[in-house]
Amino acid sequence: MAERVEGSVAQGENTIEERHVGAMWELEQKLDQPMDEEANKLKNMYREKGLSMLMLLRLSFQSLGIVYGDLGTSPLYVFYNTFPDGISDSEDVIGALSLIIYSLLLIPLIKYVIIVCKANDNGQGGTLAIYSLLCRHAKVKLIPNQQRSDEDLTTYSRTLLPEGSFAAKTKKWLESKESRKRALLFIVLLGTCMMIGDGILTPAISVLSATGGIKVISPKMSSDIVVLVSIIILIGLFSMQHYGTDKVGWLFAPIVFIWFLFIGATGMYNICKHDTSVLKAFSPTYIYLYFKRRGLDGWISLGGILLSITGTEALYADIAYFPLLAIQLAFTFFVFPCLLLAYCGQAAYLVNNKDHYKDAFYASMPDSVYWPMFVVATGAAIVGSQATISGTYSIIKQAVSHGCFPRVKIVHTSKKFLGQIYCPDINWILMVGCIAVTASFKNQSQIGNAYGTAVVLVMLATTLLMILIMLLVWRCHWILVLIFAVLTLVPELSYFSAVIWKINQGGWVPLIIAAISLLVMSVWHYATVKKYEFEVHSKVSMSWILGLGPSLGLVRVPGIGLVYTELASGVPHIFSHFITNLPAIHSVVVFVCVKYLPVYTVPEEERFLVKRIGPKTFRMFRCVARYGYKDLHRKDDDFENKLLNNLFSFIRIETMMEPGSNSSTYSSAYSLNHTQESKDELIHNNNNHHNSNNNNIDEFSSMVDYTVSTLDTIVPADNRMSFSQNNTVEEEEDEEEDELQYLKTCKESGVVHIMGNTVVKARNGSWLPKKIAIDYVYAFLAKICRENSVILHVPHETLLNVGQVFYV
């Protein structure tokens, strides 16, 4: 069945808006409030345990393979991309080395390892994790489907800002206009899109640079052979992704550990053998002399220097795997010194061998360790690529949870580590992109230009988000925020200005990738927001449901109907559409809302919230299932049984909360006089805030004969009085057992999942780009993405789709 619904959200047509203003809307809020009382509060569940020094050292060792593979392979290609046209003066090498040293000091060490990594969301990193953190401290999320009960989650961790503070003013400024919220989301999505581009470019440049070492031994070998070998390695790399990181995790760490020892030792060897004077590059004066001597060419060469800090964003995205202290120890005391030695050693070699700028890394290797180094370099390139690919999967998963990316298949690759996932669709898209980039460019220089553009844009997005984190979450003094902004934005904007010069030399590739990804994300998010707004504005009045009576005006057939909706309160439009077109409904109706909150995970004990809708005889309930962006619907998770078990538990607890009375017998505190007072209060509020007409008040007056219970259920007052007079305690206990048995019998009769299948189309007269985006781009994405029923593992034979056509 399908229904055509005119989308009046954007235009605010009177037929929908009048339903939700005035006293009637206020009454609905009273009748169907968030489930604060039902929310479990399990504080201090996830307090981090202390780690021994031996365990920290072990985890630091393991982090080398997962976190630092990408950053560690940068010495393969930095000097070649810095001097693509050759080295004319030995002092230029010293200046470039000084830039590399201070780039590593400012960006990876100070900005990321010391500061940004602390801005993690319970161990989760990346731009979307920062966005989730901001959404909890300010109302900036464009789909405001959170309730007060969600803030009671143990993983929510929200703090209030003092009134009048600079942080409070910043929060108010950010929340005041929709355009600012959209701008914030755009920055987040831009950083996400660039990370996807990073997932394509990192394997391409790392593997191509590693295999390029073959030409050092065989200079006459064709470049096409090197490209072919690289493509074969890339195909093998992406083909093994379905095994998961856990299967080869112990192999990764030793490879990267040996790699860092090799580059550190050979760096020290080259410094001692060729030129110890390169150590003067630790003086920042050589940076000034470098730019003074080279001028514009020196500024453009920053695009190559930038490659020395690539992989830093992957470091931040992968911090979920290990404790922050382990990552900080590994970088500060092992990775950072080894990288400095490697770059200093290459610089010492190039000072005396300027002609070897193209293959500086392999040319500087002693002949006795060349082949072992080649094998380890290839392995390290594969490991570094693996870290970026795994990070891309995590980012896509977060984007899906935020409603910013089409639903894709996500597979668990480890029973031990929930964060290790595999996305088949994304994996093959990345593989095709990597092969296309490698085969098209065939050299490190152009891929390096593209890589640099992607990296610097991600860093700029992270810096802008970090400024908000320091203000709203950490509540730092504005002077500290200013110092951080200057120390990070000055070098990053300098890098950005340099890579802009190389747009036509390969820098356009990540921009194209980002544009395509951004188009997909923006269109999907726009349609998702509009569908949610339609659900909110077209939900059915609770009074309408009550007016139907216990049978809902229909034949109640045996079984349980699970009606899925985006709403955490109110009756969804698809329900009224369903019962309007069919003469029967199930004996028990449960409105199910699956929510994705801006938290990294929701504990199982706090996942389900259940409450009753209407009097007991209606057999209607609401269940909200809450998930974080790290949570996944696993095949072994029996969503249906968990939901029904929580429903049974709610019925038992409901009776325990009302000793001496049945759940259909209501507290005498909510009398007709109380309801009349509530009516007068609501009418007064309505006159003050909504300036509604007398029609709304008349509609409200018709609801005086209903009372509200402490359990957020309603029943006619006359029925309440008759129940309280006629029922005995024994009958109430029997009735509770009867209800549980009744639900179990209905469950045995069958459970049907009723889902809305809303087709979104552009309104007649819409401008052409909107028609293309909605009628073609979104329609195509909706067709190829996974259905909600598949994600929740709903059996096909128990699924019933209710179709609607919504015009925006």
Side-chain angles (χ1 to χ4, degrees):
M1 67 187 75
E3 177 190 19
R4 293 166 61 91
V5 182
E6 286 293 328
S8 57
V9 176
Q11 285 73 22
E13 293 181 5
N14 293 334
T15 55
I16 291 181
E17 290 298 325
E18 289 178 356
R19 188 185 306 164
H20 300 283
V21 296
M24 198 62 197
W25 185 86
E26 294 281 357
L27 177 66
E28 295 299 320
Q29 299 304 300
K30 289 281 186 179
L31 298 180
D32 198 16
Q33 294 176 3
M35 294 180 272
D36 300 319
E37 294 184 8
E38 289 78 10
N40 294 318
K41 299 180 181 180
L42 307 174
K43 300 299 181 185
N44 302 320
M45 277 183 58
Y46 292 89
R47 187 177 296 168
E48 188 173 345
K49 297 179 180 179
L51 296 173
S52 64
M53 182 55 67
L54 185 63
M55 179 60 70
L56 273 176
L57 292 176
R58 176 186 171 186
L59 292 172
S60 297
F61 171 76
Q62 286 182 287
S63 71
L64 295 175
I66 303 297
V67 178
Y68 296 111
D70 188 7
L71 186 64
T73 54
S74 295
L76 286 168
Y77 44 76
V78 168
F79 276 107
Y80 172 47
N81 285 274
T82 304
F83 302 104
D85 301 322
I87 302 172
S88 57
D89 190 344
S90 298
E91 289 299 312
D92 292 344
V93 178
I94 305 297
L97 177 61
S98 186
L99 280 168
I100 292 171
I101 291 171
Y102 284 97
S103 295
L104 286 169
L105 179 68
L106 279 177
I107 306 300
L109 181 60
I110 296 178
K111 177 188 172 182
Y112 278 92
V113 173
I114 296 179
I115 299 176
V116 174
C117 283
K118 290 184 179 180
N120 61 82
D121 187 10
N122 288 277
Q124 305 298 309
T127 52
L128 280 166
I130 295 180
Y131 182 64
S132 297
L133 205 55
L134 288 173
C135 287
R136 297 208 297 271
H137 290 79
K139 296 178 181 178
V140 294
K141 195 171 184 182
L142 295 177
I143 305 182
N145 64 339
Q146 292 168 244
Q147 309 293 335
R148 284 179 304 179
S149 55
D150 299 329
E151 297 177 12
D152 292 328
L153 290 170
T154 55
T155 54
Y156 203 88
S157 64
R158 178 181 180 180
T159 56
L160 297 177
L161 299 174
E163 290 291 333
S165 63
F166 187 72
K169 293 177 182 177
T170 305
K171 176 176 177 287
K172 185 178 180 181
W173 176 84
L174 197 61
E175 296 173 345
S176 60
K177 290 187 178 180
E178 288 292 314
S179 58
R180 291 166 188 164
K181 298 179 185 179
R182 293 192 188 99
L184 177 63
L185 181 63
F186 174 79
I187 293 172
V188 173
L189 293 184
L190 180 63
T192 304
C193 293
M194 286 300 170
M195 278 298 293
I196 295 173
D198 198 5
I200 293 175
L201 296 169
T202 297
I205 191 170
S206 299
V207 174
L208 188 62
S209 300
T211 54
I214 301 175
K215 294 192 68 177
V216 177
I217 295 294
S218 306
K220 295 181 180 180
M221 181 180 292
S222 172
S223 297
D224 293 336
I225 302 277
V226 176
V227 172
L228 181 61
V229 172
S230 300
I231 290 174
I232 292 172
I233 293 175
L234 287 172
I235 292 174
L237 172 64
F238 284 99
S239 298
M240 61 178 270
Q241 290 300 312
H242 67 279
Y243 291 109
T245 307
D246 191 39
K247 299 289 190 303
V248 287
W250 280 104
L251 178 64
F252 283 0
I255 290 175
V256 178
F257 180 71
I258 294 171
W259 164 255
F260 277 116
L261 287 180
F262 268 35
I263 62 174
T266 53
M268 192 179 300
Y269 168 80
N270 285 325
I271 292 170
C272 297
K273 180 180 179 181
H274 296 287
D275 193 349
T276 56
S277 65
V278 294
L279 297 179
K280 63 185 179 181
F282 281 89
S283 171
T285 56
Y286 287 91
I287 297 176
Y288 167 75
L289 296 174
Y290 178 78
F291 288 125
K292 181 180 179 181
R293 184 168 50 253
R294 297 199 67 191
L296 181 61
D297 290 339
W299 193 265
I300 295 174
S301 69
L302 284 175
I305 302 293
L306 172 64
L307 298 181
S308 64
I309 55 176
T310 55
T312 309
E313 270 298 328
L315 176 157
Y316 180 46
D318 289 331
I319 60 173
Y321 292 101
F322 303 97
L324 177 59
L325 185 57
I327 291 174
Q328 291 173 329
L329 285 174
F331 184 84
T332 307
F333 297 104
F334 185 69
V335 175
F336 185 60
C338 288
L339 286 174
L340 291 181
L341 287 172
Y343 287 117
C344 289
Q346 286 188 48
Y349 178 81
L350 288 174
V351 166
N352 298 324
N353 301 274
K354 292 188 286 292
D355 295 337
H356 292 174
Y357 67 95
K358 284 188 177 181
D359 48 16
F361 177 79
Y362 282 109
S364 63
M365 290 294 117
D367 294 339
S368 57
V369 297
Y370 173 80
W371 284 112
M373 180 61 81
F374 175 78
V375 173
V376 174
T378 305
I382 293 172
V383 171
S385 303
Q386 174 65 47
T388 307
I389 294 167
S390 300
T392 305
Y393 296 155
S394 298
I395 286 171
I396 294 293
K397 169 65 182 69
Q398 293 182 25
V400 170
S401 298
H402 283 83
C404 297
F405 200 85
R407 298 178 294 272
V408 294
K409 185 177 182 180
I410 298 173
V411 180
H412 284 272
T413 59
S414 172
K415 293 181 179 179
K416 192 176 180 182
F417 303 104
L418 294 179
Q420 295 184 6
I421 58 176
Y422 165 63
C423 303
D425 306 327
I426 302 301
N427 181 69
W428 304 125
I429 291 173
L430 292 178
M431 186 187 78
V432 171
C434 278
I435 292 173
V437 168
T438 306
S440 299
F441 289 135
K442 298 182 180 180
N443 65 75
Q444 303 171 26
S445 180
Q446 288 188 320
I447 300 178
N449 295 337
Y451 193 20
T453 305
V455 168
V456 73
L457 286 174
V458 177
M459 289 181 175
L460 283 171
T462 303
T463 300
L464 294 176
L465 294 172
M466 273 301 303
I467 291 173
L468 292 176
I469 288 289
M470 294 179 76
L471 287 172
L472 301 182
V473 182
W474 294 351
R475 287 183 278 179
C476 298
H477 195 279
W478 66 269
I479 294 179
L480 292 176
V481 179
L482 182 63
I483 293 172
F484 170 80
V486 170
L487 287 178
T488 54
L489 286 177
V490 168
E492 287 172 2
L493 288 173
S494 301
Y495 292 137
F496 180 70
S497 64
V499 298
I500 289 296
W501 286 89
K502 298 184 178 183
I503 289 293
N504 62 341
Q505 301 176 29
W508 55 270
V509 173
L511 299 182
I512 295 296
I513 297 172
I516 295 172
S517 303
L518 197 58
L519 174 66
V520 169
M521 289 185 169
S522 300
V523 170
W524 187 265
H525 185 263
Y526 174 79
T528 302
V529 169
K530 289 301 178 184
K531 285 172 66 177
Y532 176 77
E533 290 177 350
F534 167 67
E535 287 261 11
V536 171
H537 285 266
S538 63
K539 65 182 179 181
V540 180
S541 169
M542 185 70 72
S543 59
W544 178 77
I545 292 291
L546 293 172
L548 296 176
S551 67
L552 302 182
L554 301 167
V555 177
R556 301 297 290 266
V557 297
I560 299 177
L562 303 180
V563 183
Y564 288 82
T565 172
E566 297 280 341
L567 304 175
S569 62
V571 179
H573 183 268
I574 63 164
F575 181 70
S576 64
H577 179 45
F578 176 79
I579 65 176
T580 301
N581 288 273
L582 291 178
I585 192 64
H586 299 89
S587 300
V588 177
V589 177
V590 183
F591 297 112
V592 181
C593 173
V594 179
K595 294 171 60 178
Y596 294 93
L597 303 177
V599 295
Y600 74 105
T601 187
V602 176
E604 284 288 340
E605 297 85 354
E606 301 177 282
R607 177 150 295 158
F608 291 94
L609 298 181
V610 181
K611 73 174 180 182
R612 189 187 297 276
I613 296 180
K616 191 172 184 179
T617 52
F618 278 44
R619 310 291 190 196
M620 295 177 67
F621 302 88
R622 180 184 310 287
C623 178
V624 177
R626 306 177 295 181
Y627 291 86
Y629 57 82
K630 182 184 174 183
D631 296 327
L632 291 171
H633 302 279
R634 303 176 59 150
K635 282 187 177 180
D636 53 357
D637 286 341
D638 195 339
F639 179 80
E640 179 184 303
N641 277 334
K642 284 183 178 179
L643 187 153
L644 295 177
N645 287 338
N646 277 271
L647 177 60
F648 296 150
S649 298
F650 167 76
I651 293 172
R652 296 188 187 97
I653 294 173
E654 185 184 43
T655 306
M656 293 171 60
M657 289 175 65
E658 294 186 358
S661 66
N662 189 281
S663 59
S664 60
T665 304
Y666 295 90
S667 170
S668 59
Y670 287 87
S671 62
L672 286 175
N673 292 332
H674 180 91
T675 308
Q676 182 63 42
E677 291 172 3
S678 299
K679 183 193 98 170
D680 295 337
E681 180 185 353
L682 288 179
I683 293 175
H684 176 72
N685 292 338
N686 176 65
N687 290 333
N688 290 339
H689 299 290
H690 301 287
N691 296 320
S692 122
N693 54 32
N694 291 330
N695 293 335
N696 288 332
I697 299 176
D698 293 338
E699 287 179 326
F700 176 83
S701 298
S702 66
M703 297 300 298
V704 175
D705 293 334
Y706 292 94
T707 56
V708 185
S709 81
T710 55
L711 288 175
D712 201 19
T713 56
I714 57 180
V715 68
D718 294 340
N719 292 347
R720 178 182 60 80
M721 297 298 293
S722 62
F723 280 142
S724 62
Q725 291 171 1
N726 300 328
N727 287 350
T728 63
V729 175
E730 291 80 6
E731 289 173 341
E732 291 163 3
E733 292 175 354
D734 292 341
E735 211 168 300
E736 179 208 349
E737 292 299 324
D738 289 344
E739 184 175 20
L740 286 173
Q741 186 59 44
Y742 181 76
L743 261 64
K744 291 176 182 177
T745 303
C746 290
K747 179 183 176 183
E748 293 171 358
S749 299
V751 179
V752 176
H753 301 256
I754 304 171
M755 292 187 169
N757 186 15
T758 304
V759 178
V760 181
K761 290 188 177 181
R763 294 168 61 93
N764 292 332
S766 300
W767 58 316
L768 185 60
K770 183 177 179 180
K771 283 187 175 182
I772 295 173
I774 298 298
D775 293 345
Y776 296 98
V777 178
Y778 179 76
F780 173 74
L781 294 174
K783 187 176 181 179
I784 64 173
C785 79
R786 305 186 88 207
E787 297 289 342
N788 275 324
S789 58
V790 178
I791 293 176
L792 295 172
H793 307 294
V794 175
H796 182 71
E797 58 273 9
T798 63
L799 174 65
L800 178 61
N801 275 323
V802 181
Q804 297 179 110
V805 180
F806 169 46
Y807 289 86
V808 295

